[in-house]
Tab-separated table of all heavy atoms in Angstrom:
chain	number	residue	atom	x	y	z
A	21	LYS	N	39.744	40.797	42.129
A	21	LYS	CA	38.934	41.955	42.465
A	21	LYS	C	39.840	43.128	42.800
A	21	LYS	O	40.653	43.060	43.727
A	21	LYS	CB	38.016	41.637	43.647
A	21	LYS	CG	36.958	40.582	43.345
A	21	LYS	CD	36.062	40.344	44.551
A	21	LYS	CE	34.999	39.304	44.229
A	21	LYS	NZ	34.104	39.061	45.407
A	22	ILE	N	39.709	44.213	42.029
A	22	ILE	CA	40.601	45.357	42.177
A	22	ILE	C	39.773	46.627	42.327
A	22	ILE	O	38.868	46.889	41.532
A	22	ILE	CB	41.543	45.486	40.958
A	22	ILE	CG1	42.323	44.174	40.758
A	22	ILE	CG2	42.511	46.652	41.137
A	22	ILE	CD1	42.996	44.069	39.415
A	23	ASN	N	40.088	47.411	43.345
A	23	ASN	CA	39.406	48.684	43.555
A	23	ASN	C	40.448	49.760	43.897
A	23	ASN	O	41.654	49.510	43.861
A	23	ASN	CB	38.346	48.558	44.649
A	23	ASN	CG	38.925	47.963	45.936
A	23	ASN	OD1	40.059	48.251	46.308
A	23	ASN	ND2	38.131	47.136	46.602
A	24	LYS	N	39.984	50.946	44.258
A	24	LYS	CA	40.901	52.045	44.566
A	24	LYS	C	41.803	51.716	45.752
A	24	LYS	O	42.976	52.080	45.780
A	24	LYS	CB	40.110	53.327	44.856
A	24	LYS	CG	39.466	53.946	43.629
A	24	LYS	CD	38.778	55.261	43.981
A	24	LYS	CE	38.178	55.899	42.736
A	24	LYS	NZ	37.498	57.198	43.063
A	25	ASN	N	41.251	51.008	46.726
A	25	ASN	CA	42.036	50.635	47.900
A	25	ASN	C	43.187	49.705	47.501
A	25	ASN	O	44.318	49.836	48.002
A	25	ASN	CB	41.152	49.955	48.936
A	25	ASN	CG	41.906	49.631	50.218
A	25	ASN	OD1	42.527	50.498	50.821
A	25	ASN	ND2	41.851	48.369	50.623
A	26	THR	N	42.893	48.761	46.577
A	26	THR	CA	43.932	47.859	46.078
A	26	THR	C	45.075	48.652	45.466
A	26	THR	O	46.254	48.408	45.734
A	26	THR	CB	43.360	46.906	45.013
A	26	THR	OG1	42.213	46.248	45.530
A	26	THR	CG2	44.408	45.863	44.615
A	27	MET	N	44.713	49.632	44.631
A	27	MET	CA	45.721	50.442	43.943
A	27	MET	C	46.543	51.259	44.938
A	27	MET	O	47.768	51.383	44.798
A	27	MET	CB	45.038	51.368	42.942
A	27	MET	CG	44.175	50.642	41.922
A	27	MET	SD	45.132	49.687	40.754
A	27	MET	CE	45.574	50.971	39.606
A	28	ASN	N	45.881	51.807	45.952
A	28	ASN	CA	46.595	52.604	46.956
A	28	ASN	C	47.595	51.758	47.739
A	28	ASN	O	48.697	52.213	48.063
A	28	ASN	CB	45.601	53.267	47.911
A	28	ASN	CG	44.833	54.398	47.267
A	28	ASN	OD1	45.331	55.039	46.326
A	28	ASN	ND2	43.629	54.660	47.754
A	29	ILE	N	47.197	50.529	48.040
A	29	ILE	CA	48.093	49.622	48.764
A	29	ILE	C	49.356	49.358	47.942
A	29	ILE	O	50.476	49.404	48.454
A	29	ILE	CB	47.380	48.297	49.094
A	29	ILE	CG1	46.291	48.521	50.146
A	29	ILE	CG2	48.376	47.239	49.587
A	29	ILE	CD1	45.417	47.314	50.393
A	30	LEU	N	49.184	49.102	46.641
A	30	LEU	CA	50.318	48.794	45.776
A	30	LEU	C	51.224	50.006	45.572
A	30	LEU	O	52.431	49.861	45.366
A	30	LEU	CB	49.819	48.278	44.425
A	30	LEU	CG	49.108	46.919	44.461
A	30	LEU	CD1	48.532	46.586	43.097
A	30	LEU	CD2	50.060	45.818	44.914
A	31	LYS	N	50.651	51.204	45.638
A	31	LYS	CA	51.460	52.420	45.500
A	31	LYS	C	52.227	52.735	46.785
A	31	LYS	O	53.376	53.180	46.739
A	31	LYS	CB	50.559	53.608	45.135
A	31	LYS	CG	50.029	53.575	43.717
A	31	LYS	CD	49.121	54.774	43.464
A	31	LYS	CE	48.518	54.733	42.079
A	31	LYS	NZ	47.591	55.874	41.843
A	32	LYS	N	51.577	52.498	47.927
A	32	LYS	CA	52.224	52.796	49.211
A	32	LYS	C	53.296	51.768	49.550
A	32	LYS	O	54.284	52.091	50.208
A	32	LYS	CB	51.169	52.854	50.318
A	32	LYS	CG	50.263	54.067	50.223
A	32	LYS	CD	49.236	54.070	51.352
A	32	LYS	CE	48.330	55.299	51.265
A	32	LYS	NZ	47.319	55.309	52.354
A	33	GLY	N	53.087	50.521	49.129
A	33	GLY	CA	54.089	49.497	49.354
A	33	GLY	C	53.567	48.312	50.137
A	33	GLY	O	52.749	48.476	51.053
A	34	VAL	N	54.011	47.135	49.764
A	34	VAL	CA	53.634	45.902	50.441
A	34	VAL	C	54.902	45.186	50.896
A	34	VAL	O	55.976	45.337	50.306
A	34	VAL	CB	52.809	44.983	49.510
A	34	VAL	CG1	51.483	45.627	49.170
A	34	VAL	CG2	53.589	44.657	48.236
A	35	ARG	N	54.779	44.409	51.944
A	35	ARG	CA	55.931	43.716	52.528
A	35	ARG	C	56.130	42.369	51.847
A	35	ARG	O	55.218	41.539	51.808
A	35	ARG	CB	55.715	43.527	54.030
A	35	ARG	CG	56.948	43.030	54.778
A	35	ARG	CD	56.671	42.988	56.271
A	35	ARG	NE	57.823	42.521	57.027
A	35	ARG	CZ	58.810	43.308	57.436
A	35	ARG	NH1	58.765	44.603	57.173
A	35	ARG	NH2	59.832	42.811	58.118
A	36	ILE	N	57.340	42.170	51.302
A	36	ILE	CA	57.682	40.915	50.652
A	36	ILE	C	59.064	40.483	51.137
A	36	ILE	O	60.052	41.192	50.922
A	36	ILE	CB	57.704	41.057	49.108
A	36	ILE	CG1	56.342	41.539	48.593
A	36	ILE	CG2	58.083	39.728	48.453
A	36	ILE	CD1	56.356	41.893	47.122
A	37	ASN	N	59.125	39.344	51.801
A	37	ASN	CA	60.413	38.810	52.275
A	37	ASN	C	61.230	39.854	53.050
A	37	ASN	O	62.394	40.125	52.739
A	37	ASN	CB	61.234	38.281	51.098
A	37	ASN	CG	60.553	37.101	50.419
A	37	ASN	OD1	59.863	36.317	51.055
A	37	ASN	ND2	60.746	36.980	49.116
A	38	ASN	N	60.590	40.479	54.017
A	38	ASN	CA	61.257	41.440	54.922
A	38	ASN	C	61.702	42.744	54.257
A	38	ASN	O	62.502	43.499	54.812
A	38	ASN	CB	62.468	40.787	55.604
A	38	ASN	CG	62.070	39.608	56.475
A	38	ASN	OD1	61.050	39.644	57.163
A	38	ASN	ND2	62.863	38.542	56.425
A	39	THR	N	61.210	43.007	53.046
A	39	THR	CA	61.455	44.299	52.397
A	39	THR	C	60.134	44.822	51.857
A	39	THR	O	59.156	44.085	51.745
A	39	THR	CB	62.463	44.177	51.241
A	39	THR	OG1	61.905	43.321	50.219
A	39	THR	CG2	63.787	43.602	51.719
A	40	TYR	N	60.110	46.104	51.529
A	40	TYR	CA	58.898	46.710	50.981
A	40	TYR	C	59.073	46.985	49.493
A	40	TYR	O	60.135	47.432	49.051
A	40	TYR	CB	58.568	48.007	51.712
A	40	TYR	CG	57.881	47.780	53.043
A	40	TYR	CD1	58.626	47.657	54.210
A	40	TYR	CD2	56.498	47.648	53.113
A	40	TYR	CE1	58.004	47.421	55.427
A	40	TYR	CE2	55.859	47.419	54.335
A	40	TYR	CZ	56.626	47.308	55.482
A	40	TYR	OH	56.008	47.070	56.672
A	41	SER	N	58.010	46.708	48.735
A	41	SER	CA	57.999	46.972	47.303
A	41	SER	C	56.752	47.777	46.970
A	41	SER	O	55.690	47.579	47.562
A	41	SER	CB	57.989	45.667	46.500
A	41	SER	OG	59.166	44.927	46.720
A	42	SER	N	56.899	48.695	46.016
A	42	SER	CA	55.766	49.523	45.614
A	42	SER	C	55.909	49.930	44.160
A	42	SER	O	57.014	49.940	43.600
A	42	SER	CB	55.681	50.778	46.489
A	42	SER	OG	56.829	51.588	46.300
A	43	PHE	N	54.786	50.258	43.551
A	43	PHE	CA	54.795	50.814	42.204
A	43	PHE	C	55.013	52.318	42.288
A	43	PHE	O	54.374	52.998	43.093
A	43	PHE	CB	53.472	50.535	41.487
A	43	PHE	CG	53.315	49.123	41.001
A	43	PHE	CD1	52.529	48.224	41.691
A	43	PHE	CD2	53.962	48.705	39.847
A	43	PHE	CE1	52.379	46.917	41.239
A	43	PHE	CE2	53.823	47.404	39.388
A	43	PHE	CZ	53.029	46.508	40.089
A	44	LYS	N	55.890	52.825	41.444
A	44	LYS	CA	56.067	54.272	41.356
A	44	LYS	C	54.803	54.896	40.779
A	44	LYS	O	54.377	55.974	41.199
A	44	LYS	CB	57.277	54.601	40.482
A	44	LYS	CG	57.571	56.080	40.374
A	44	LYS	CD	58.830	56.332	39.564
A	44	LYS	CE	59.136	57.819	39.479
A	44	LYS	NZ	60.381	58.071	38.704
A	45	SER	N	54.215	54.199	39.811
A	45	SER	CA	52.912	54.587	39.275
A	45	SER	C	52.230	53.346	38.734
A	45	SER	O	52.899	52.394	38.316
A	45	SER	CB	53.044	55.638	38.171
A	45	SER	OG	53.628	55.083	37.007
A	46	ILE	N	50.907	53.348	38.759
A	46	ILE	CA	50.135	52.219	38.235
A	46	ILE	C	48.738	52.710	37.887
A	46	ILE	O	48.143	53.502	38.630
A	46	ILE	CB	50.073	51.052	39.252
A	46	ILE	CG1	49.307	49.874	38.658
A	46	ILE	CG2	49.513	51.477	40.584
A	46	ILE	CD1	49.343	48.612	39.511
A	47	TYR	N	48.248	52.276	36.737
A	47	TYR	CA	46.885	52.640	36.354
A	47	TYR	C	46.327	51.620	35.369
A	47	TYR	O	47.065	50.919	34.687
A	47	TYR	CB	46.820	54.043	35.752
A	47	TYR	CG	47.575	54.214	34.452
A	47	TYR	CD1	46.955	53.988	33.228
A	47	TYR	CD2	48.907	54.609	34.447
A	47	TYR	CE1	47.639	54.145	32.042
A	47	TYR	CE2	49.601	54.770	33.265
A	47	TYR	CZ	48.968	54.534	32.056
A	47	TYR	OH	49.651	54.686	30.882
A	48	SER	N	44.994	51.539	35.322
A	48	SER	CA	44.315	50.630	34.416
A	48	SER	C	44.177	51.294	33.051
A	48	SER	O	43.916	52.491	32.949
A	48	SER	CB	42.932	50.282	34.964
A	48	SER	OG	42.185	49.550	34.002
A	49	PHE	N	44.348	50.499	31.988
A	49	PHE	CA	44.123	51.055	30.657
A	49	PHE	C	43.249	50.128	29.813
A	49	PHE	O	43.252	50.182	28.592
A	49	PHE	CB	45.454	51.350	29.943
A	49	PHE	CG	46.269	50.139	29.586
A	49	PHE	CD1	46.204	49.585	28.317
A	49	PHE	CD2	47.110	49.549	30.512
A	49	PHE	CE1	46.962	48.478	27.977
A	49	PHE	CE2	47.871	48.449	30.182
A	49	PHE	CZ	47.794	47.905	28.912
A	50	SER	N	42.482	49.267	30.489
A	50	SER	CA	41.546	48.400	29.777
A	50	SER	C	40.417	49.236	29.196
A	50	SER	O	39.880	50.135	29.854
A	50	SER	CB	40.968	47.343	30.719
A	50	SER	OG	41.989	46.507	31.222
A	51	ASP	N	40.064	48.946	27.931
A	51	ASP	CA	38.917	49.620	27.321
A	51	ASP	C	37.625	49.204	28.017
A	51	ASP	O	36.725	49.996	28.233
A	51	ASP	CB	38.833	49.291	25.829
A	51	ASP	CG	39.991	49.885	25.052
A	51	ASP	OD1	40.517	50.925	25.484
A	51	ASP	OD2	40.373	49.302	24.024
A	52	LYS	N	37.571	47.942	28.348
A	52	LYS	CA	36.438	47.430	29.112
A	52	LYS	C	36.877	46.173	29.837
A	52	LYS	O	37.824	45.502	29.433
A	52	LYS	CB	35.244	47.134	28.197
A	52	LYS	CG	35.544	46.099	27.121
A	52	LYS	CD	34.323	45.870	26.265
A	52	LYS	CE	34.616	44.803	25.181
A	52	LYS	NZ	33.427	44.550	24.337
A	53	GLU	N	36.207	45.877	30.901
A	53	GLU	CA	36.559	44.700	31.689
A	53	GLU	C	36.107	43.427	30.970
A	53	GLU	O	35.055	43.383	30.365
A	53	GLU	CB	35.928	44.769	33.073
A	53	GLU	CG	36.475	45.881	33.942
A	53	GLU	CD	35.935	45.812	35.351
A	53	GLU	OE1	35.424	44.735	35.705
A	53	GLU	OE2	36.017	46.821	36.064
A	54	SER	N	36.954	42.423	31.001
A	54	SER	CA	36.625	41.118	30.440
A	54	SER	C	36.635	40.118	31.587
A	54	SER	O	37.677	39.602	31.966
A	54	SER	CB	37.643	40.731	29.367
A	54	SER	OG	37.378	39.426	28.888
A	55	GLY	N	35.443	39.890	32.175
A	55	GLY	CA	35.382	39.061	33.365
A	55	GLY	C	36.123	39.744	34.493
A	55	GLY	O	35.912	40.917	34.783
A	56	LYS	N	37.030	39.040	35.119
A	56	LYS	CA	37.827	39.616	36.196
A	56	LYS	C	39.249	39.936	35.749
A	56	LYS	O	40.120	40.205	36.568
A	56	LYS	CB	37.852	38.657	37.383
A	56	LYS	CG	36.500	38.538	38.097
A	56	LYS	CD	36.637	37.689	39.350
A	56	LYS	CE	35.312	37.608	40.088
A	56	LYS	NZ	35.417	36.795	41.331
A	57	ASN	N	39.491	39.909	34.450
A	57	ASN	CA	40.816	40.245	33.924
A	57	ASN	C	40.869	41.711	33.530
A	57	ASN	O	39.993	42.193	32.811
A	57	ASN	CB	41.146	39.380	32.711
A	57	ASN	CG	41.473	37.947	33.097
A	57	ASN	OD1	42.471	37.686	33.746
A	57	ASN	ND2	40.599	37.025	32.717
């Protein structure tokens, strides 16, 4: 399940093994959703 909040979290950064990782940019490019993929 992915929404705007999910995307914002990944852009701001998440904590992994005592360090922070984030996407410089991320966006969906699916023509249409196929189930939850």
Side-chain angles (χ1 to χ4, degrees):
K21 294 181 179 180
I22 304 165
N23 53 37
K24 288 184 178 180
N25 184 53
T26 307
M27 303 290 278
N28 288 333
I29 291 172
L30 293 174
K31 288 179 183 178
K32 290 180 180 180
V34 295
R35 190 175 180 86
I36 302 171
N37 296 328
N38 298 320
T39 63
Y40 280 91
S41 296
S42 64
F43 284 102
K44 182 177 181 179
S45 70
I46 182 173
Y47 64 90
S48 172
F49 67 97
S50 298
D51 293 332
K52 60 180 181 179
E53 293 186 17
S54 176
K56 290 186 178 181
N57 287 294

